Amino acid sequence: MANLTSPYALPPLPEYTLYPLPPLLPWISDAYLGPALLVIAYWAMSGLFHAIDSLDLFPQYRLHTPAEVLKRNHVSRWEVLRDVVIQQVIQTGVGIALTVLDKEAMGGREEWDVAWWAQWVRRAQWGIPGLLSLVGLDAKSMSSGNSVLSGALAGGVYPELTQVVLQHGQEVVAPAFANWEIQVAKAIYHLGIPAVQFAVAILIVDTWQYFLHRAMHMNKWMYTTWHSRHHRLYVPYAYGALYNHPFEGFLLDTCGAALGYALTGMTTRQSMWFFTISTIKTVDDHCGYAFPWDPLQHLTSNNAGYHDVHHQSWGIKTNFSQPFFTFWDTFLGTKWTGGDVSARYERARLAAQKKVDTEYRNSITGSAATESVREGAAPYTSDVSNATSTARTTHSIAQPAIPRGKALYQAAGGRQQVLDDSSSTAGGRKILAEEAAEEVLAQQALRRSVRKRSQSSASAGLKGFADRVGESLQGKGTGVLGVENGR
């Protein structure tokens, strides 16, 4: 039997046989599972945050109030949902294409790969005696009763570790790896290499998105054509994370992730992890909450609070970094430097709440003025056509002011009915005049002017206004509604 052992001979690499790697789940191909995981992760995370929003579970950690979501955003939730679905369709198509066009995933070579790295672990030991001699130490004198330690200090010499292998059909004695060398090689292969791939992929995605994102803010045409759509969300929320122009979504998100996948040599299964984590991070950055116990918001400095600054009018040209780290903002001077913004946020909260309060003030019916414009006039069209000119005149001179749309038709018919009440001792015109004057007084009380009028002057003003309204209602016609009749 031939002997291939020598002081610096490397253990041979094992033979292997490749075979197609079976899918992770027997009922779906990995090519389809990867893109599906992104969609599932996106809506699972978004659903979680939407439930927190709807149930108002952690209001103390909100970056913005529900009033701000309602009043400061310039796009409906339906439009956001529609564009996110469009982008996910594009992402899914590209993801399937990448995996289908890629080489078929094969298994059976893992032991060979581990042994290959174990050979490099052995080669690294060859330099240990020389390094020890540089500091005046003798490897032989440091040898102990531990054969593994002695072999490592001697430069990876393990004469007692041998194995019998077949070479060219003959059995030969060859060197073998120490158990610790195999364990280190497995750690490199299963943990170290994927960690490096992930780190490089993060660098690629962060770099791609930073410079392209920044370009879309610096170039007016790119901003107004593509990126301004995303910034209709001044108050981000979770499922609006991928609300973009379809081309921007393809260029910024899909292409950036595809580059990270291709340039790092990730396997399909590694890409599942990377893309899913990236998706969860993107949703978390738009969630609208600053949770002290959310690990994604503390592992890196790029979190919901950091990115939220970028969505405000005063910070829109800062904090371009996404989705992982902020080093490009730091290096290139585009990080927000205005310090604490809590006062700005508080002003925005108060302004938004004021808008909501104004719209819903005294709205015991639960309706909003915007509903009047959205809905048709039916079934009040005939009431308007039958209204007298006096009833229509009320809309131009009386209070409360009626919003345009369906409410205008409803009020015209109602006021006509008041005028028709001839049995009223007060008279229909007088009732409408007093009602309008009382509304004016109520609005003055709500505004609370700095220079408060005395009660007597307010009463005098009220009486004078009622008289003027009453006079105006005496037989004056108008075409306020654009409907004339022969009544």
Side-chain angles (χ1 to χ4, degrees):
M1 183 182 297
N3 191 326
L4 299 180
T5 59
S6 66
Y8 293 103
L10 290 172
L13 298 175
E15 296 182 354
Y16 62 89
T17 301
L18 293 177
Y19 58 86
L21 203 62
L24 279 174
L25 301 177
W27 46 272
I28 184 172
S29 167
D30 288 353
Y32 300 106
L33 178 60
L37 284 175
L38 305 189
V39 177
I40 294 170
Y42 187 90
W43 290 110
M45 283 291 291
S46 297
L48 173 63
F49 284 114
H50 186 69
I52 292 173
D53 277 342
S54 302
L55 300 175
D56 199 24
L57 295 180
F58 303 103
Q60 69 272 33
Y61 300 125
R62 280 183 182 271
L63 295 174
H64 299 281
T65 63
E68 289 181 274
V69 176
L70 182 66
K71 288 300 173 188
R72 294 187 58 210
N73 287 335
H74 299 283
V75 59
S76 70
R77 287 184 178 267
W78 163 249
E79 292 173 299
V80 171
L81 176 64
R82 178 199 64 197
D83 284 9
V84 168
V85 170
I86 290 173
Q87 180 162 339
Q88 288 185 327
V89 169
I90 296 172
Q91 279 186 337
T92 300
V94 173
I96 292 174
L98 283 174
T99 52
V100 169
L101 296 176
D102 204 356
K103 295 179 180 179
E104 183 180 13
M106 305 295 287
R109 206 180 102 162
E110 291 78 9
E111 289 187 8
W112 186 94
D113 289 326
V114 169
W116 187 85
W117 282 107
Q119 284 188 340
W120 282 102
V121 173
R122 178 65 63 87
R123 290 188 180 98
Q125 297 171 67
W126 294 349
I128 291 178
L131 291 175
L132 292 174
S133 65
L134 289 176
V135 293
L137 297 175
D138 181 18
K140 291 182 179 180
S141 64
M142 296 177 63
S143 299
S144 64
N146 188 312
S147 60
V148 174
L149 178 60
S150 299
L153 293 176
V157 178
Y158 304 94
E160 71 282 3
L161 297 179
T162 60
Q163 61 181 328
V164 177
V165 297
L166 285 175
Q167 193 172 77
H168 306 298
Q170 294 183 350
E171 290 186 346
V172 296
V173 177
F177 292 112
N179 181 63
W180 76 270
E181 292 175 313
I182 294 295
Q183 297 306 316
V184 170
K186 285 182 176 180
I188 294 172
Y189 178 71
H190 292 293
L191 299 176
I193 300 304
V196 171
Q197 288 175 303
F198 273 51
V200 174
I202 286 173
L203 176 62
I204 292 171
V205 171
D206 273 2
T207 301
W208 175 269
Q209 293 208 9
Y210 173 85
F211 285 100
L212 191 54
H213 185 194
R214 181 177 176 178
M216 288 185 179
H217 279 276
M218 298 306 167
N219 183 285
K220 183 177 180 180
W221 182 85
M222 291 175 70
Y223 180 79
T224 56
T225 305
W226 298 328
H227 193 53
S228 61
R229 180 178 299 195
H230 182 69
H231 281 281
R232 293 172 189 170
L233 287 176
Y234 282 90
V235 181
Y237 46 82
Y239 75 79
L242 290 184
Y243 171 64
N244 296 306
H245 186 285
F247 182 73
E248 179 198 340
F250 169 76
L251 193 63
L252 190 67
D253 298 313
T254 307
C255 289
L259 276 175
Y261 166 72
L263 296 180
T264 56
M266 285 186 184
T267 65
T268 300
R269 293 183 181 179
Q270 285 177 317
S271 71
M272 291 181 191
W273 282 96
F274 180 71
F275 294 154
T276 301
I277 292 171
S278 299
T279 298
I280 292 173
K281 181 70 169 62
T282 300
V283 173
D284 194 80
D285 287 348
H286 290 81
C287 71
Y289 288 85
F291 290 127
W293 31 261
D294 182 352
L296 291 176
Q297 298 197 16
H298 300 284
L299 289 175
T300 74
S301 55
N302 199 341
N303 50 37
Y306 185 89
H307 189 67
D308 193 84
V309 169
H310 177 71
H311 275 264
Q312 309 311 307
S313 60
W314 40 268
I316 200 169
K317 281 200 167 184
T318 66
N319 292 13
F320 299 119
S321 294
Q322 58 183 46
F324 293 104
F325 294 93
T326 63
F327 54 85
W328 284 120
D329 275 325
T330 302
F331 293 159
L332 299 180
T334 54
K335 189 175 182 178
W336 169 256
T337 57
D340 183 26
V341 294
S342 56
R344 292 176 181 266
Y345 274 65
E346 184 60 27
R347 285 196 295 270
R349 292 189 189 101
L350 293 175
Q353 189 62 50
K354 185 177 180 181
K355 289 182 180 179
V356 172
D357 292 343
T358 300
E359 183 170 321
Y360 287 93
R361 182 176 293 153
N362 298 328
S363 182
I364 59 174
T365 62
S367 64
T370 52
E371 297 175 30
S372 180
V373 179
R374 292 198 302 263
E375 298 187 14
Y380 299 98
T381 308
S382 61
D383 290 284
V384 171
S385 62
N386 293 328
T388 63
S389 59
T390 302
R392 293 195 300 275
T393 301
T394 307
H395 291 289
S396 63
I397 60 175
Q399 294 287 340
I402 304 299
R404 297 183 62 84
K406 185 174 184 176
L408 201 63
Y409 288 78
Q410 291 173 323
R415 282 167 172 165
Q416 179 59 54
Q417 195 164 61
V418 173
L419 292 172
D420 288 342
D421 185 12
S422 59
S423 64
S424 172
T425 56
R429 290 187 178 89
K430 186 175 181 181
I431 290 174
L432 293 179
E434 290 177 352
E435 179 190 79
E438 288 169 358
E439 176 67 21
V440 169
L441 185 61
Q443 290 189 6
Q444 289 175 348
L446 285 172
R447 285 193 288 268
R448 298 290 184 185
S449 174
V450 176
R451 293 179 299 175
K452 295 182 179 178
R453 297 190 177 102
S454 66
Q455 184 63 36
S456 59
S457 63
S459 299
L462 172 61
K463 185 178 184 302
F465 182 79
D467 292 340
R468 290 195 300 275
V469 173
E471 292 172 0
S472 299
L473 292 176
Q474 299 294 329
K476 291 188 178 181
T478 183
V480 173
L481 294 180
V483 179
E484 296 294 344
N485 57 65
R487 187 170 175 173

